[in-house]
Amino acid sequence: MVRKTLIAGNWKMNGLLEDGVALAKGVALEVKKAARKDCEFLICPPFTLLMSAKKAIKGSKTMLGAQDCHFDAKGAHTGDVSPQMLKDIGCQYVILGHSERRTDHGETNELIAKKAKSAIEAGLKVIICIGETEKERDEGKTINVCTTQIMGSVPENSTAQNTVIAYEPVWAIGTGKTPTANEVEEVHAAIRKVVSKKLGRANANKMRILYGGSMKPSNAKELLALPDVDGGLIGGASLKVADFIAISEACRQ
C-alpha cells in the first residue's frame, strides 16, 4: 500500500511575528521550488501566527494546521479556539493529544477523542499523538500504552482520509534520543494492527502513521525508509528551514 509521506512541522510555543513569517515564507519558497509530488508539507504554528503564516505560504502547496482546538463550535470557553474557527481561517489540520498537552493540561483519551470527533465534523483532518514515557518503556509497556491511547483517543468517525496517527515516545521528544529503527517499526506495525481492530483493515492499510521525537536530517532517511513510517511530526527541526526541508529529502521515492 503506497501512502504519500507527510512532513509536518509542530512549531509549539515558538515564534514572534517577524520570525514566524520569515520561517513560513522560507518553507513555502523551498516547497514551491522543489515541486515535490512524493510527499506533502504541513506547518503548525501557534495560534497567533496562523493568519500571517497562511498568507506567507500561499501558492506553495504547503498546508496549514493548528496545535489544538476545543470540542465545541462556540460558547463560553475563554481562551479556547473551536475547530470551526480554525477551518474558517484556512487550517486543514489540527494536532490533538500531544504528550505536552496530556501532561501540561491533563488531557485524557476521552477528551482527545471528543476534540477529534468535533474537528473531523468541522472538516479538519486530525493528527492524533500517542506515545509512552521512559518509565513505561523501561517496564515494557510501550505497545500496551499505545494501544490504550489509540482505542481511547481515536473517535469512531475517524478514517484514513481524515486521521493521521503520530507515534511520539515521550522520552524522545526534544531530547535527541530516538528508538532504534527496529523499535520504531515494531511499534508502528503494532499501531497499524490496533487501527485495523478499531477501524477496519482498509482504513489501517491507508492510514498514515508518523514518527515524532527528535527526527532530524541525520536520522530521517533511516526512519522514513521503514515500511510503516509514513512521515514525521517534526518539533525542533521544523524551526529551521534547512533542517525541515532536509528531512523531506530523505523521503524521495
Side-chain angles (χ1 to χ4, degrees), residues 5-73:
T5 303
L6 175 62
I7 304 298
N10 177 13
W11 293 9
K12 305 189 180 184
M13 197 174 70
N14 292 294
L16 300 182
L17 184 59
E18 184 177 356
D19 290 339
V21 169
L23 178 56
K25 283 183 176 179
V27 170
L29 179 63
E30 292 300 322
V31 169
K32 191 172 184 179
K33 190 189 303 181
R36 300 287 299 278
K37 294 182 179 180
D38 54 340
C39 69
E40 295 178 332
F41 295 88
L42 168 69
I43 59 170
C44 299
F47 290 131
T48 55
L49 293 175
L50 286 173
M51 286 296 292
S52 299
K54 177 190 173 184
K55 295 175 183 177
I57 63 177
K58 186 177 180 180
S60 73
K61 293 188 177 179
T62 306
M63 297 180 292
L64 183 69
Q67 297 174 20
D68 185 45
C69 69
H70 197 274
F71 51 80
D72 275 344

Short mmCIF file of all heavy atoms in Angstrom, two decimals, residues 5-73:
data_model
loop_
_atom_site.label_atom_id
_atom_site.label_comp_id
_atom_site.label_asym_id
_atom_site.label_seq_id
_atom_site.Cartn_x
_atom_site.Cartn_y
_atom_site.Cartn_z
N THR A 5 3.88 10.39 1.82
CA THR A 5 4.59 10.84 3.02
C THR A 5 4.12 12.23 3.44
O THR A 5 3.94 13.12 2.61
CB THR A 5 6.10 10.86 2.76
OG1 THR A 5 6.52 9.56 2.35
CG2 THR A 5 6.87 11.26 4.01
N LEU A 6 3.95 12.42 4.73
CA LEU A 6 3.58 13.72 5.28
C LEU A 6 4.70 14.22 6.19
O LEU A 6 5.09 13.54 7.15
CB LEU A 6 2.28 13.61 6.09
CG LEU A 6 1.81 14.88 6.83
CD1 LEU A 6 1.53 16.01 5.86
CD2 LEU A 6 0.58 14.57 7.68
N ILE A 7 5.24 15.38 5.86
CA ILE A 7 6.25 16.03 6.69
C ILE A 7 5.58 17.21 7.37
O ILE A 7 5.25 18.22 6.73
CB ILE A 7 7.46 16.51 5.85
CG1 ILE A 7 8.05 15.34 5.05
CG2 ILE A 7 8.52 17.14 6.74
CD1 ILE A 7 8.61 14.22 5.89
N ALA A 8 5.34 17.08 8.67
CA ALA A 8 4.58 18.08 9.43
C ALA A 8 5.46 18.75 10.47
O ALA A 8 6.17 18.08 11.22
CB ALA A 8 3.38 17.42 10.11
N GLY A 9 5.41 20.05 10.52
CA GLY A 9 6.20 20.81 11.48
C GLY A 9 5.34 21.34 12.62
O GLY A 9 4.38 22.08 12.37
N ASN A 10 5.65 20.94 13.83
CA ASN A 10 4.96 21.44 15.02
C ASN A 10 5.86 22.49 15.68
O ASN A 10 6.84 22.17 16.34
CB ASN A 10 4.71 20.28 15.99
CG ASN A 10 4.06 20.73 17.29
OD1 ASN A 10 3.58 21.87 17.39
ND2 ASN A 10 4.06 19.87 18.29
N TRP A 11 5.50 23.75 15.47
CA TRP A 11 6.34 24.84 15.98
C TRP A 11 6.21 25.02 17.49
O TRP A 11 7.00 25.74 18.10
CB TRP A 11 5.95 26.15 15.30
CG TRP A 11 6.25 26.20 13.83
CD1 TRP A 11 6.67 25.16 13.03
CD2 TRP A 11 6.15 27.35 12.98
NE1 TRP A 11 6.82 25.59 11.73
CE2 TRP A 11 6.51 26.93 11.67
CE3 TRP A 11 5.78 28.67 13.18
CZ2 TRP A 11 6.52 27.81 10.58
CZ3 TRP A 11 5.78 29.54 12.10
CH2 TRP A 11 6.15 29.12 10.81
N LYS A 12 5.20 24.42 18.09
CA LYS A 12 4.94 24.55 19.53
C LYS A 12 4.81 26.03 19.92
O LYS A 12 4.34 26.82 19.12
CB LYS A 12 6.02 23.80 20.33
CG LYS A 12 6.15 22.33 19.90
CD LYS A 12 7.02 21.52 20.81
CE LYS A 12 7.10 20.08 20.30
NZ LYS A 12 7.87 19.21 21.22
N MET A 13 5.24 26.42 21.10
CA MET A 13 5.09 27.82 21.52
C MET A 13 6.36 28.59 21.17
O MET A 13 7.10 29.09 22.02
CB MET A 13 4.80 27.90 23.03
CG MET A 13 4.24 29.25 23.47
SD MET A 13 3.73 29.31 25.21
CE MET A 13 5.31 29.25 26.05
N ASN A 14 6.58 28.70 19.88
CA ASN A 14 7.77 29.38 19.36
C ASN A 14 7.39 30.29 18.21
O ASN A 14 6.58 29.92 17.37
CB ASN A 14 8.81 28.37 18.87
CG ASN A 14 9.41 27.54 19.98
OD1 ASN A 14 10.12 28.06 20.84
ND2 ASN A 14 9.10 26.25 19.99
N GLY A 15 8.01 31.48 18.17
CA GLY A 15 7.85 32.37 17.04
C GLY A 15 7.04 33.62 17.33
O GLY A 15 5.84 33.55 17.59
N LEU A 16 7.71 34.78 17.27
CA LEU A 16 7.01 36.06 17.24
C LEU A 16 6.75 36.39 15.77
O LEU A 16 7.18 35.67 14.87
CB LEU A 16 7.84 37.13 17.93
CG LEU A 16 8.16 36.86 19.41
CD1 LEU A 16 8.94 38.02 20.01
CD2 LEU A 16 6.89 36.58 20.20
N LEU A 17 6.03 37.45 15.51
CA LEU A 17 5.52 37.72 14.17
C LEU A 17 6.59 37.75 13.09
O LEU A 17 6.49 37.04 12.07
CB LEU A 17 4.74 39.04 14.17
CG LEU A 17 4.06 39.42 12.85
CD1 LEU A 17 3.07 38.34 12.43
CD2 LEU A 17 3.36 40.76 12.98
N GLU A 18 7.63 38.53 13.29
CA GLU A 18 8.65 38.68 12.24
C GLU A 18 9.34 37.36 11.92
O GLU A 18 9.47 36.97 10.76
CB GLU A 18 9.68 39.73 12.67
CG GLU A 18 10.73 40.01 11.59
CD GLU A 18 11.71 41.10 12.01
OE1 GLU A 18 11.53 41.70 13.09
OE2 GLU A 18 12.66 41.36 11.23
N ASP A 19 9.79 36.66 12.96
CA ASP A 19 10.48 35.39 12.75
C ASP A 19 9.54 34.31 12.21
O ASP A 19 9.93 33.49 11.38
CB ASP A 19 11.11 34.92 14.07
CG ASP A 19 12.29 35.78 14.49
OD1 ASP A 19 12.86 36.46 13.62
OD2 ASP A 19 12.62 35.78 15.69
N GLY A 20 8.31 34.32 12.70
CA GLY A 20 7.34 33.32 12.25
C GLY A 20 7.01 33.47 10.78
O GLY A 20 6.93 32.47 10.04
N VAL A 21 6.82 34.69 10.34
CA VAL A 21 6.52 34.94 8.92
C VAL A 21 7.73 34.56 8.06
O VAL A 21 7.58 33.95 7.00
CB VAL A 21 6.14 36.43 8.70
CG1 VAL A 21 6.11 36.75 7.21
CG2 VAL A 21 4.79 36.72 9.33
N ALA A 22 8.92 34.89 8.53
CA ALA A 22 10.13 34.55 7.78
C ALA A 22 10.28 33.03 7.65
O ALA A 22 10.65 32.52 6.58
CB ALA A 22 11.36 35.14 8.47
N LEU A 23 9.99 32.30 8.73
CA LEU A 23 10.08 30.85 8.70
C LEU A 23 9.05 30.27 7.72
O LEU A 23 9.37 29.40 6.91
CB LEU A 23 9.86 30.29 10.10
CG LEU A 23 9.86 28.77 10.25
CD1 LEU A 23 11.16 28.15 9.72
CD2 LEU A 23 9.65 28.38 11.72
N ALA A 24 7.83 30.74 7.79
CA ALA A 24 6.77 30.25 6.90
C ALA A 24 7.12 30.55 5.45
O ALA A 24 6.96 29.69 4.57
CB ALA A 24 5.43 30.89 7.27
N LYS A 25 7.60 31.75 5.17
CA LYS A 25 7.99 32.11 3.81
C LYS A 25 9.14 31.25 3.32
O LYS A 25 9.17 30.83 2.16
CB LYS A 25 8.38 33.60 3.74
CG LYS A 25 7.21 34.56 3.75
CD LYS A 25 7.69 36.00 3.60
CE LYS A 25 6.51 36.96 3.52
NZ LYS A 25 6.97 38.38 3.40
N GLY A 26 10.08 30.99 4.21
CA GLY A 26 11.24 30.17 3.84
C GLY A 26 10.83 28.75 3.47
O GLY A 26 11.30 28.19 2.47
N VAL A 27 9.96 28.17 4.27
CA VAL A 27 9.46 26.82 3.98
C VAL A 27 8.68 26.82 2.67
O VAL A 27 8.88 25.96 1.80
CB VAL A 27 8.56 26.31 5.13
CG1 VAL A 27 7.85 25.02 4.71
CG2 VAL A 27 9.38 26.07 6.39
N ALA A 28 7.80 27.81 2.50
CA ALA A 28 6.98 27.89 1.29
C ALA A 28 7.84 28.01 0.04
O ALA A 28 7.56 27.37 -0.98
CB ALA A 28 6.02 29.07 1.39
N LEU A 29 8.87 28.81 0.11
CA LEU A 29 9.75 29.00 -1.04
C LEU A 29 10.43 27.70 -1.43
O LEU A 29 10.49 27.34 -2.62
CB LEU A 29 10.81 30.06 -0.71
CG LEU A 29 11.84 30.34 -1.81
CD1 LEU A 29 11.15 30.91 -3.04
CD2 LEU A 29 12.91 31.32 -1.29
N GLU A 30 10.94 26.96 -0.44
CA GLU A 30 11.62 25.70 -0.72
C GLU A 30 10.65 24.63 -1.23
O GLU A 30 10.99 23.85 -2.12
CB GLU A 30 12.34 25.21 0.55
CG GLU A 30 13.50 26.07 0.97
CD GLU A 30 14.58 26.16 -0.09
OE1 GLU A 30 14.85 25.14 -0.77
OE2 GLU A 30 15.15 27.25 -0.27
N VAL A 31 9.44 24.61 -0.67
CA VAL A 31 8.44 23.64 -1.12
C VAL A 31 8.04 23.93 -2.57
O VAL A 31 7.93 23.02 -3.40
CB VAL A 31 7.19 23.68 -0.21
CG1 VAL A 31 6.04 22.88 -0.83
CG2 VAL A 31 7.54 23.13 1.17
N LYS A 32 7.85 25.20 -2.88
CA LYS A 32 7.48 25.59 -4.24
C LYS A 32 8.61 25.28 -5.21
O LYS A 32 8.38 24.78 -6.32
CB LYS A 32 7.15 27.08 -4.27
CG LYS A 32 6.50 27.54 -5.56
CD LYS A 32 6.03 28.98 -5.44
CE LYS A 32 5.29 29.41 -6.70
NZ LYS A 32 4.80 30.82 -6.58
N LYS A 33 9.83 25.53 -4.79
CA LYS A 33 11.00 25.28 -5.63
C LYS A 33 11.17 23.79 -5.92
O LYS A 33 11.50 23.39 -7.03
CB LYS A 33 12.25 25.82 -4.92
CG LYS A 33 13.51 25.86 -5.78
CD LYS A 33 14.73 26.20 -4.94
CE LYS A 33 14.55 27.53 -4.22
NZ LYS A 33 15.76 27.88 -3.42
N ALA A 34 10.93 22.99 -4.90
CA ALA A 34 11.13 21.54 -5.05
C ALA A 34 10.03 20.88 -5.88
O ALA A 34 10.28 19.87 -6.54
CB ALA A 34 11.18 20.89 -3.67
N ALA A 35 8.83 21.45 -5.85
CA ALA A 35 7.70 20.90 -6.61
C ALA A 35 7.56 19.39 -6.38
O ALA A 35 7.44 18.61 -7.32
CB ALA A 35 7.85 21.21 -8.10
N ARG A 36 7.57 18.99 -5.14
CA ARG A 36 7.54 17.57 -4.79
C ARG A 36 6.17 16.96 -5.02
O ARG A 36 5.15 17.57 -4.73
CB ARG A 36 7.92 17.39 -3.32
CG ARG A 36 9.31 17.89 -2.97
CD ARG A 36 10.38 16.99 -3.51
NE ARG A 36 10.26 15.68 -2.94
CZ ARG A 36 10.74 15.35 -1.72
NH1 ARG A 36 11.37 16.25 -1.00
NH2 ARG A 36 10.61 14.12 -1.27
N LYS A 37 6.14 15.75 -5.52
CA LYS A 37 4.88 15.02 -5.70
C LYS A 37 4.82 13.78 -4.80
O LYS A 37 3.79 13.15 -4.70
CB LYS A 37 4.72 14.60 -7.16
CG LYS A 37 4.54 15.77 -8.12
CD LYS A 37 4.33 15.29 -9.55
CE LYS A 37 4.13 16.46 -10.49
NZ LYS A 37 3.92 16.02 -11.90
N ASP A 38 5.95 13.46 -4.19
CA ASP A 38 6.02 12.23 -3.39
C ASP A 38 5.76 12.46 -1.91
O ASP A 38 5.69 11.51 -1.14
CB ASP A 38 7.38 11.56 -3.57
CG ASP A 38 8.54 12.49 -3.27
OD1 ASP A 38 8.34 13.72 -3.31
OD2 ASP A 38 9.65 12.00 -3.00
N CYS A 39 5.62 13.72 -1.49
CA CYS A 39 5.29 13.97 -0.09
C CYS A 39 4.55 15.29 0.05
O CYS A 39 4.59 16.15 -0.83
CB CYS A 39 6.53 13.93 0.81
SG CYS A 39 7.67 15.27 0.55
N GLU A 40 3.85 15.43 1.18
CA GLU A 40 3.11 16.65 1.49
C GLU A 40 3.77 17.37 2.65
O GLU A 40 4.41 16.75 3.50
CB GLU A 40 1.66 16.28 1.86
CG GLU A 40 0.89 15.66 0.71
CD GLU A 40 -0.52 15.26 1.10
OE1 GLU A 40 -0.75 14.96 2.29
OE2 GLU A 40 -1.39 15.25 0.21
N PHE A 41 3.57 18.68 2.68
CA PHE A 41 4.18 19.52 3.71
C PHE A 41 3.10 20.23 4.52
O PHE A 41 2.13 20.74 3.96
CB PHE A 41 5.11 20.56 3.10
CG PHE A 41 6.31 19.97 2.42
CD1 PHE A 41 6.24 19.59 1.08
CD2 PHE A 41 7.50 19.78 3.10
CE1 PHE A 41 7.35 19.04 0.45
CE2 PHE A 41 8.61 19.23 2.47
CZ PHE A 41 8.53 18.86 1.14
N LEU A 42 3.31 20.29 5.82
CA LEU A 42 2.36 20.93 6.73
C LEU A 42 3.13 21.68 7.79
O LEU A 42 4.11 21.16 8.34
CB LEU A 42 1.49 19.85 7.39
CG LEU A 42 0.62 20.26 8.58
CD1 LEU A 42 -0.51 21.18 8.12
CD2 LEU A 42 0.06 19.02 9.28
N ILE A 43 2.72 22.92 8.07
CA ILE A 43 3.29 23.65 9.20
C ILE A 43 2.17 23.95 10.19
O ILE A 43 1.04 24.25 9.80
CB ILE A 43 4.00 24.96 8.79
CG1 ILE A 43 3.05 25.91 8.05
CG2 ILE A 43 5.23 24.65 7.93
CD1 ILE A 43 3.65 27.31 7.84
N CYS A 44 2.49 23.84 11.48
CA CYS A 44 1.52 24.08 12.55
C CYS A 44 2.08 25.12 13.52
O CYS A 44 2.69 24.77 14.54
CB CYS A 44 1.20 22.78 13.27
SG CYS A 44 0.46 21.51 12.23
N PRO A 45 1.92 26.39 13.19
CA PRO A 45 2.40 27.46 14.06
C PRO A 45 1.47 27.65 15.26
O PRO A 45 0.37 27.11 15.30
CB PRO A 45 2.35 28.71 13.15
CG PRO A 45 2.04 28.20 11.77
CD PRO A 45 1.32 26.90 11.96
N PRO A 46 1.89 28.46 16.23
CA PRO A 46 0.98 28.82 17.33
C PRO A 46 -0.18 29.65 16.79
O PRO A 46 -0.12 30.21 15.70
CB PRO A 46 1.87 29.61 18.29
CG PRO A 46 3.04 30.06 17.48
CD PRO A 46 3.24 29.04 16.42
N PHE A 47 -1.27 29.74 17.56
CA PHE A 47 -2.48 30.43 17.12
C PHE A 47 -2.19 31.85 16.63
O PHE A 47 -2.80 32.30 15.65
CB PHE A 47 -3.49 30.50 18.27
CG PHE A 47 -4.12 29.18 18.62
CD1 PHE A 47 -4.18 28.77 19.95
CD2 PHE A 47 -4.67 28.36 17.65
CE1 PHE A 47 -4.76 27.56 20.28
CE2 PHE A 47 -5.26 27.15 17.98
CZ PHE A 47 -5.30 26.75 19.30
N THR A 48 -1.28 32.55 17.30
CA THR A 48 -1.03 33.96 16.98
C THR A 48 -0.45 34.15 15.58
O THR A 48 -0.51 35.25 15.03
CB THR A 48 -0.04 34.57 17.99
OG1 THR A 48 1.15 33.77 18.04
CG2 THR A 48 -0.67 34.63 19.38
N LEU A 49 0.12 33.09 15.00
CA LEU A 49 0.77 33.21 13.69
C LEU A 49 -0.02 32.58 12.55
O LEU A 49 0.42 32.63 11.41
CB LEU A 49 2.16 32.57 13.75
CG LEU A 49 3.19 33.26 14.64
CD1 LEU A 49 4.48 32.44 14.69
CD2 LEU A 49 3.49 34.66 14.12
N LEU A 50 -1.17 31.99 12.85
CA LEU A 50 -1.88 31.24 11.81
C LEU A 50 -2.26 32.10 10.62
O LEU A 50 -2.04 31.71 9.46
CB LEU A 50 -3.12 30.58 12.41
CG LEU A 50 -2.86 29.36 13.29
CD1 LEU A 50 -4.16 28.89 13.96
CD2 LEU A 50 -2.24 28.22 12.49
N MET A 51 -2.84 33.26 10.84
CA MET A 51 -3.26 34.11 9.73
C MET A 51 -2.07 34.61 8.92
O MET A 51 -2.10 34.61 7.69
CB MET A 51 -4.10 35.29 10.24
CG MET A 51 -5.49 34.91 10.68
SD MET A 51 -6.50 34.28 9.31
CE MET A 51 -6.69 35.76 8.32
N SER A 52 -1.03 35.02 9.61
CA SER A 52 0.16 35.52 8.91
C SER A 52 0.86 34.40 8.15
O SER A 52 1.33 34.60 7.04
CB SER A 52 1.13 36.15 9.92
OG SER A 52 0.54 37.24 10.58
N ALA A 53 0.90 33.22 8.75
CA ALA A 53 1.52 32.07 8.09
C ALA A 53 0.72 31.67 6.86
O ALA A 53 1.29 31.29 5.82
CB ALA A 53 1.63 30.90 9.06
N LYS A 54 -0.60 31.75 6.95
CA LYS A 54 -1.45 31.41 5.81
C LYS A 54 -1.09 32.29 4.61
O LYS A 54 -0.96 31.80 3.47
CB LYS A 54 -2.91 31.61 6.18
CG LYS A 54 -3.88 31.36 5.02
CD LYS A 54 -5.28 31.81 5.36
CE LYS A 54 -6.20 31.72 4.15
NZ LYS A 54 -7.56 32.23 4.44
N LYS A 55 -0.92 33.57 4.83
CA LYS A 55 -0.56 34.48 3.75
C LYS A 55 0.84 34.17 3.22
O LYS A 55 1.10 34.23 2.01
CB LYS A 55 -0.62 35.93 4.23
CG LYS A 55 -2.02 36.39 4.60
CD LYS A 55 -1.99 37.79 5.19
CE LYS A 55 -3.38 38.24 5.64
NZ LYS A 55 -3.36 39.58 6.29
N ALA A 56 1.75 33.80 4.12
CA ALA A 56 3.14 33.57 3.75
C ALA A 56 3.32 32.32 2.89
O ALA A 56 4.23 32.25 2.07
CB ALA A 56 4.00 33.47 5.00
N ILE A 57 2.45 31.32 3.06
CA ILE A 57 2.62 30.05 2.33
C ILE A 57 1.72 29.96 1.10
O ILE A 57 1.73 28.96 0.39
CB ILE A 57 2.34 28.84 3.23
CG1 ILE A 57 0.87 28.83 3.73
CG2 ILE A 57 3.31 28.81 4.42
CD1 ILE A 57 0.51 27.62 4.57
N LYS A 58 0.97 31.01 0.83
CA LYS A 58 0.03 31.00 -0.29
C LYS A 58 0.73 30.64 -1.61
O LYS A 58 1.78 31.17 -1.94
CB LYS A 58 -0.64 32.37 -0.43
CG LYS A 58 -1.73 32.41 -1.48
CD LYS A 58 -2.41 33.78 -1.52
CE LYS A 58 -3.50 33.82 -2.58
NZ LYS A 58 -4.17 35.15 -2.62
N GLY A 59 0.15 29.70 -2.34
CA GLY A 59 0.66 29.32 -3.65
C GLY A 59 1.80 28.32 -3.63
O GLY A 59 2.36 27.99 -4.68
N SER A 60 2.13 27.78 -2.44
CA SER A 60 3.29 26.88 -2.35
C SER A 60 2.90 25.43 -2.14
O SER A 60 3.77 24.56 -2.09
CB SER A 60 4.19 27.31 -1.19
OG SER A 60 3.58 26.98 0.05
N LYS A 61 1.63 25.12 -1.97
CA LYS A 61 1.14 23.79 -1.66
C LYS A 61 1.56 23.33 -0.26
O LYS A 61 1.46 22.16 0.07
CB LYS A 61 1.59 22.77 -2.71
CG LYS A 61 0.96 23.00 -4.07
CD LYS A 61 1.27 21.87 -5.03
CE LYS A 61 0.55 22.10 -6.36
NZ LYS A 61 0.84 21.03 -7.34
N THR A 62 2.03 24.27 0.55
CA THR A 62 2.28 23.98 1.96
C THR A 62 0.95 24.11 2.70
O THR A 62 0.24 25.10 2.51
CB THR A 62 3.29 24.97 2.56
OG1 THR A 62 4.48 24.98 1.78
CG2 THR A 62 3.62 24.61 4.00
N MET A 63 0.62 23.12 3.49
CA MET A 63 -0.65 23.15 4.22
C MET A 63 -0.48 23.78 5.59
O MET A 63 0.63 23.85 6.12
CB MET A 63 -1.20 21.73 4.35
CG MET A 63 -1.53 21.09 3.01
SD MET A 63 -2.17 19.39 3.16
CE MET A 63 -0.71 18.53 3.75
N LEU A 64 -1.61 24.23 6.15
CA LEU A 64 -1.61 24.92 7.44
C LEU A 64 -2.40 24.13 8.47
O LEU A 64 -3.48 23.63 8.19
CB LEU A 64 -2.24 26.31 7.27
CG LEU A 64 -2.26 27.22 8.52
CD1 LEU A 64 -0.84 27.65 8.87
CD2 LEU A 64 -3.14 28.44 8.26
N GLY A 65 -1.83 24.02 9.66
CA GLY A 65 -2.51 23.33 10.74
C GLY A 65 -2.35 24.07 12.06
O GLY A 65 -1.47 24.92 12.20
N ALA A 66 -3.19 23.72 13.02
CA ALA A 66 -3.11 24.29 14.37
C ALA A 66 -2.64 23.22 15.34
O ALA A 66 -2.55 22.04 15.00
CB ALA A 66 -4.47 24.85 14.79
N GLN A 67 -2.36 23.63 16.56
CA GLN A 67 -1.78 22.71 17.54
C GLN A 67 -2.79 22.18 18.56
O GLN A 67 -2.45 21.32 19.38
CB GLN A 67 -0.65 23.42 18.29
CG GLN A 67 0.50 23.83 17.40
CD GLN A 67 1.54 24.66 18.13
OE1 GLN A 67 1.62 24.64 19.36
NE2 GLN A 67 2.34 25.41 17.40
N ASP A 68 -4.03 22.66 18.50
CA ASP A 68 -5.06 22.19 19.43
C ASP A 68 -6.37 22.85 19.05
O ASP A 68 -6.41 23.79 18.26
CB ASP A 68 -4.69 22.55 20.87
CG ASP A 68 -5.68 21.98 21.89
OD1 ASP A 68 -6.04 20.79 21.75
OD2 ASP A 68 -6.11 22.72 22.80
N CYS A 69 -7.46 22.35 19.60
CA CYS A 69 -8.76 23.01 19.45
C CYS A 69 -9.68 22.55 20.57
O CYS A 69 -9.41 21.55 21.25
CB CYS A 69 -9.39 22.72 18.09
SG CYS A 69 -9.94 21.00 17.86
N HIS A 70 -10.78 23.27 20.74
CA HIS A 70 -11.82 22.88 21.68
C HIS A 70 -12.76 21.92 20.96
O HIS A 70 -12.68 21.76 19.74
CB HIS A 70 -12.57 24.12 22.18
CG HIS A 70 -13.37 23.90 23.42
ND1 HIS A 70 -14.66 23.42 23.40
CD2 HIS A 70 -13.05 24.09 24.73
CE1 HIS A 70 -15.11 23.33 24.63
NE2 HIS A 70 -14.15 23.72 25.47
N PHE A 71 -13.65 21.28 21.70
CA PHE A 71 -14.61 20.37 21.06
C PHE A 71 -15.92 21.05 20.69
O PHE A 71 -16.70 20.53 19.90
CB PHE A 71 -14.89 19.15 21.93
CG PHE A 71 -15.26 19.45 23.35
CD1 PHE A 71 -16.55 19.85 23.67
CD2 PHE A 71 -14.32 19.34 24.36
CE1 PHE A 71 -16.91 20.12 24.98
CE2 PHE A 71 -14.67 19.62 25.68
CZ PHE A 71 -15.96 20.02 25.99
N ASP A 72 -16.19 22.24 21.25
CA ASP A 72 -17.42 22.95 20.93
C ASP A 72 -17.19 23.91 19.76
O ASP A 72 -16.08 24.42 19.55
CB ASP A 72 -17.93 23.75 22.12
CG ASP A 72 -18.78 22.91 23.06
OD1 ASP A 72 -19.23 21.82 22.64
OD2 ASP A 72 -18.99 23.32 24.22
N ALA A 73 -18.25 24.19 19.03
CA ALA A 73 -18.17 25.11 17.89
C ALA A 73 -18.07 26.56 18.34
O ALA A 73 -17.48 27.40 17.66
CB ALA A 73 -19.39 24.93 16.98
#
